[in-house]
Amino acid sequence: MSSRRRFLHSSAAGLAGLAAAPLAAVALPAAPFTGKPIVISTWDAGLNANRGAWKILGSGGYALDAVEAGVMVTENEQNCCVGLGARPDRDGHVTLDACIMDHQFNCGSVAALERIKHPISVARRVMERTPHVMLVGEGAQQFALAQGFALEPNKLSADAEKEYREWLKTSQYRPVLNVENSGRRAVGPAGGAPNHDTIAMLAMDAQGRLSGSCTTSGMAFKMRGRVGDSPIIGAGLFVDPAVGAAAATGQGEDVIRMAGAHTVVELMRQGRSPQAACREAVERIAAIKGAKAKDIQVAFIALNAKGEAGSYALQKGFNYALSTTDTPRLLDAEFFLK
Ligand code: ASP
């Protein structure tokens, strides 16, 4: 066997071993938190999502189960930007991105997944049942089907169909900030093209275990094959059990280029509060974008290992849902561009 083939062979064997070995074997610092559970998620869609998560957290359940179940609520809703009812890419296909991460650096992700109702659950299966972190496109769909997920009809929701037909008249992408606050979740503000939003969720359970999830259809009418930050560990989501967790929403390209969620967690590691860490990450994006910062929205949410939450946005209009009981609160984030 050539040395390259031997290398590939042994790497594959190593990976297969990894898949079989319990990932939980990683040595971890003792959880510093023994208090009450908490869950935070993006946008007003987070209210329902948090209620879904609280059913698990409130009865002593596992944070990872909570962040999966929580965002599944949004994937099930008729939403402009999450799940199969969302807007398609510019070729008319709804392509979904999602990722999930637990308190032991285990993570899973899918990108450009089509016709599967719950990409977050497929991401969790990637994490738990493969030696990999990320599957994309056809391969991700093939894996989902092999795992027993149903292939849903290749059909746009009525709202998405209407929006898409409208968009085809000009085929121009015109970002509109914070479309999700228009009160017309499936249809953009009058005269404006729909833009994007994402459900990202961070939770800590009663045992102090942190987890995060993120799921989206990405930008409306994006180029076919475009993937944003949301399924990328370190960009759309990052969890470090010793420090905290962070997640992003908004213009994914600008989150990816500065490794957004990971940056927020590293800033918390250096001693920043969750809000100060989110703020500094947003300021970096503003500095990178310069005058163009006014054309985009980016926001972060964060939760530290003590169970403190925070958020910060580039522009006015970002809100997030916070739960420490079964009644979630919707909070307006502080923002940078006054
Ligand atoms: N971050 C997502 C993306 O760029 C979209 C959003 O959060 O609004 O795909």
mmCIF file of all heavy atoms in Angstrom, residues 53-74:
data_model
loop_
_atom_site.group_PDB
_atom_site.id
_atom_site.type_symbol
_atom_site.label_atom_id
_atom_site.label_comp_id
_atom_site.label_asym_id
_atom_site.label_seq_id
_atom_site.Cartn_x
_atom_site.Cartn_y
_atom_site.Cartn_z
ATOM 1 N N ALA A 53 -38.126 25.223 24.497
ATOM 2 C CA ALA A 53 -36.920 24.803 25.222
ATOM 3 C C ALA A 53 -37.219 24.653 26.710
ATOM 4 O O ALA A 53 -36.691 23.757 27.376
ATOM 5 C CB ALA A 53 -35.811 25.833 25.008
ATOM 6 N N TRP A 54 -38.076 25.544 27.221
ATOM 7 C CA TRP A 54 -38.335 25.533 28.669
ATOM 8 C C TRP A 54 -39.055 24.269 29.130
ATOM 9 O O TRP A 54 -38.896 23.833 30.272
ATOM 10 C CB TRP A 54 -39.110 26.788 29.095
ATOM 11 C CG TRP A 54 -38.968 26.980 30.569
ATOM 12 C CD1 TRP A 54 -39.837 26.598 31.543
ATOM 13 C CD2 TRP A 54 -37.829 27.529 31.238
ATOM 14 N NE1 TRP A 54 -39.313 26.867 32.778
ATOM 15 C CE2 TRP A 54 -38.088 27.439 32.619
ATOM 16 C CE3 TRP A 54 -36.612 28.079 30.802
ATOM 17 C CZ2 TRP A 54 -37.168 27.892 33.569
ATOM 18 C CZ3 TRP A 54 -35.705 28.522 31.747
ATOM 19 C CH2 TRP A 54 -35.995 28.425 33.106
ATOM 20 N N LYS A 55 -39.816 23.680 28.216
ATOM 21 C CA LYS A 55 -40.494 22.422 28.588
ATOM 22 C C LYS A 55 -39.451 21.399 29.050
ATOM 23 O O LYS A 55 -39.719 20.547 29.887
ATOM 24 C CB LYS A 55 -41.254 21.854 27.383
ATOM 25 C CG LYS A 55 -42.523 22.612 27.103
ATOM 26 C CD LYS A 55 -43.319 21.948 25.996
ATOM 27 C CE LYS A 55 -44.459 22.850 25.580
ATOM 28 N NZ LYS A 55 -44.872 22.649 24.196
ATOM 29 N N ILE A 56 -38.272 21.480 28.488
ATOM 30 C CA ILE A 56 -37.198 20.549 28.862
ATOM 31 C C ILE A 56 -36.373 21.107 30.018
ATOM 32 O O ILE A 56 -36.167 20.438 31.027
ATOM 33 C CB ILE A 56 -36.332 20.258 27.621
ATOM 34 C CG1 ILE A 56 -37.186 19.471 26.618
ATOM 35 C CG2 ILE A 56 -35.057 19.516 27.985
ATOM 36 C CD1 ILE A 56 -36.625 19.351 25.249
ATOM 37 N N LEU A 57 -35.945 22.371 29.883
ATOM 38 C CA LEU A 57 -35.093 22.958 30.927
ATOM 39 C C LEU A 57 -35.808 23.067 32.263
ATOM 40 O O LEU A 57 -35.226 22.828 33.319
ATOM 41 C CB LEU A 57 -34.663 24.378 30.515
ATOM 42 C CG LEU A 57 -33.671 24.498 29.375
ATOM 43 C CD1 LEU A 57 -33.432 25.962 29.069
ATOM 44 C CD2 LEU A 57 -32.359 23.800 29.702
ATOM 45 N N GLY A 58 -37.094 23.437 32.200
ATOM 46 C CA GLY A 58 -37.870 23.687 33.419
ATOM 47 C C GLY A 58 -38.122 22.420 34.220
ATOM 48 O O GLY A 58 -38.447 22.477 35.405
ATOM 49 N N SER A 59 -37.979 21.277 33.563
ATOM 50 C CA SER A 59 -38.188 20.037 34.324
ATOM 51 C C SER A 59 -36.866 19.298 34.523
ATOM 52 O O SER A 59 -36.834 18.073 34.640
ATOM 53 C CB SER A 59 -39.225 19.155 33.618
ATOM 54 O OG SER A 59 -38.840 18.963 32.282
ATOM 55 N N GLY A 60 -35.777 20.069 34.526
ATOM 56 C CA GLY A 60 -34.479 19.486 34.856
ATOM 57 C C GLY A 60 -33.799 18.779 33.698
ATOM 58 O O GLY A 60 -32.849 18.035 33.893
ATOM 59 N N GLY A 61 -34.291 19.022 32.473
ATOM 60 C CA GLY A 61 -33.749 18.319 31.308
ATOM 61 C C GLY A 61 -32.405 18.870 30.844
ATOM 62 O O GLY A 61 -31.862 19.833 31.397
ATOM 63 N N TYR A 62 -31.917 18.247 29.784
ATOM 64 C CA TYR A 62 -30.568 18.468 29.252
ATOM 65 C C TYR A 62 -30.583 19.653 28.280
ATOM 66 O O TYR A 62 -31.428 19.717 27.371
ATOM 67 C CB TYR A 62 -30.156 17.165 28.558
ATOM 68 C CG TYR A 62 -28.800 17.109 27.921
ATOM 69 C CD1 TYR A 62 -27.743 17.933 28.323
ATOM 70 C CD2 TYR A 62 -28.556 16.179 26.909
ATOM 71 C CE1 TYR A 62 -26.501 17.843 27.723
ATOM 72 C CE2 TYR A 62 -27.310 16.071 26.311
ATOM 73 C CZ TYR A 62 -26.291 16.921 26.721
ATOM 74 O OH TYR A 62 -25.071 16.827 26.126
ATOM 75 N N ALA A 63 -29.615 20.554 28.443
ATOM 76 C CA ALA A 63 -29.550 21.759 27.600
ATOM 77 C C ALA A 63 -29.535 21.414 26.105
ATOM 78 O O ALA A 63 -30.159 22.107 25.298
ATOM 79 C CB ALA A 63 -28.318 22.579 27.967
ATOM 80 N N LEU A 64 -28.843 20.347 25.742
ATOM 81 C CA LEU A 64 -28.767 19.998 24.314
ATOM 82 C C LEU A 64 -30.145 19.627 23.767
ATOM 83 O O LEU A 64 -30.526 20.035 22.668
ATOM 84 C CB LEU A 64 -27.780 18.841 24.107
ATOM 85 C CG LEU A 64 -27.503 18.505 22.639
ATOM 86 C CD1 LEU A 64 -26.688 19.600 21.966
ATOM 87 C CD2 LEU A 64 -26.785 17.167 22.502
ATOM 88 N N ASP A 65 -30.901 18.870 24.545
ATOM 89 C CA ASP A 65 -32.272 18.536 24.125
ATOM 90 C C ASP A 65 -33.108 19.810 24.023
ATOM 91 O O ASP A 65 -33.947 19.952 23.124
ATOM 92 C CB ASP A 65 -32.933 17.593 25.139
ATOM 93 C CG ASP A 65 -32.258 16.223 25.170
ATOM 94 O OD1 ASP A 65 -31.674 15.823 24.141
ATOM 95 O OD2 ASP A 65 -32.315 15.566 26.221
ATOM 96 N N ALA A 66 -32.875 20.729 24.955
ATOM 97 C CA ALA A 66 -33.667 21.964 24.974
ATOM 98 C C ALA A 66 -33.389 22.833 23.750
ATOM 99 O O ALA A 66 -34.318 23.353 23.126
ATOM 100 C CB ALA A 66 -33.373 22.749 26.250
ATOM 101 N N VAL A 67 -32.111 22.980 23.380
ATOM 102 C CA VAL A 67 -31.821 23.861 22.231
ATOM 103 C C VAL A 67 -32.248 23.211 20.913
ATOM 104 O O VAL A 67 -32.541 23.918 19.942
ATOM 105 C CB VAL A 67 -30.335 24.302 22.164
ATOM 106 C CG1 VAL A 67 -29.960 25.145 23.376
ATOM 107 C CG2 VAL A 67 -29.375 23.136 21.972
ATOM 108 N N GLU A 68 -32.313 21.898 20.889
ATOM 109 C CA GLU A 68 -32.831 21.243 19.675
ATOM 110 C C GLU A 68 -34.350 21.439 19.606
ATOM 111 O O GLU A 68 -34.883 21.937 18.612
ATOM 112 C CB GLU A 68 -32.497 19.744 19.668
ATOM 113 C CG GLU A 68 -33.024 19.049 18.413
ATOM 114 C CD GLU A 68 -32.872 17.531 18.419
ATOM 115 O OE1 GLU A 68 -32.499 16.963 19.473
ATOM 116 O OE2 GLU A 68 -33.149 16.920 17.372
ATOM 117 N N ALA A 69 -35.025 21.088 20.697
ATOM 118 C CA ALA A 69 -36.497 21.183 20.698
ATOM 119 C C ALA A 69 -36.957 22.637 20.519
ATOM 120 O O ALA A 69 -37.950 22.903 19.839
ATOM 121 C CB ALA A 69 -37.049 20.617 22.006
ATOM 122 N N GLY A 70 -36.208 23.558 21.117
ATOM 123 C CA GLY A 70 -36.591 24.968 21.039
ATOM 124 C C GLY A 70 -36.623 25.477 19.608
ATOM 125 O O GLY A 70 -37.623 26.033 19.148
ATOM 126 N N VAL A 71 -35.552 25.258 18.869
ATOM 127 C CA VAL A 71 -35.537 25.810 17.503
ATOM 128 C C VAL A 71 -36.379 24.982 16.536
ATOM 129 O O VAL A 71 -36.783 25.474 15.475
ATOM 130 C CB VAL A 71 -34.100 26.013 16.958
ATOM 131 C CG1 VAL A 71 -33.305 26.946 17.868
ATOM 132 C CG2 VAL A 71 -33.366 24.702 16.732
ATOM 133 N N MET A 72 -36.697 23.748 16.922
ATOM 134 C CA MET A 72 -37.639 22.968 16.091
ATOM 135 C C MET A 72 -39.005 23.650 16.046
ATOM 136 O O MET A 72 -39.728 23.537 15.054
ATOM 137 C CB MET A 72 -37.783 21.552 16.644
ATOM 138 C CG MET A 72 -36.619 20.639 16.282
ATOM 139 S SD MET A 72 -36.714 19.052 17.130
ATOM 140 C CE MET A 72 -37.938 18.209 16.130
ATOM 141 N N VAL A 73 -39.339 24.350 17.120
ATOM 142 C CA VAL A 73 -40.615 25.087 17.130
ATOM 143 C C VAL A 73 -40.620 26.078 15.964
ATOM 144 O O VAL A 73 -41.590 26.176 15.201
ATOM 145 C CB VAL A 73 -40.806 25.829 18.482
ATOM 146 C CG1 VAL A 73 -42.005 26.758 18.436
ATOM 147 C CG2 VAL A 73 -40.921 24.827 19.629
ATOM 148 N N THR A 74 -39.512 26.805 15.806
ATOM 149 C CA THR A 74 -39.427 27.798 14.717
ATOM 150 C C THR A 74 -39.371 27.105 13.353
ATOM 151 O O THR A 74 -39.976 27.575 12.386
ATOM 152 C CB THR A 74 -38.181 28.693 14.920
ATOM 153 O OG1 THR A 74 -38.063 29.009 16.294
ATOM 154 C CG2 THR A 74 -38.294 29.966 14.109
#
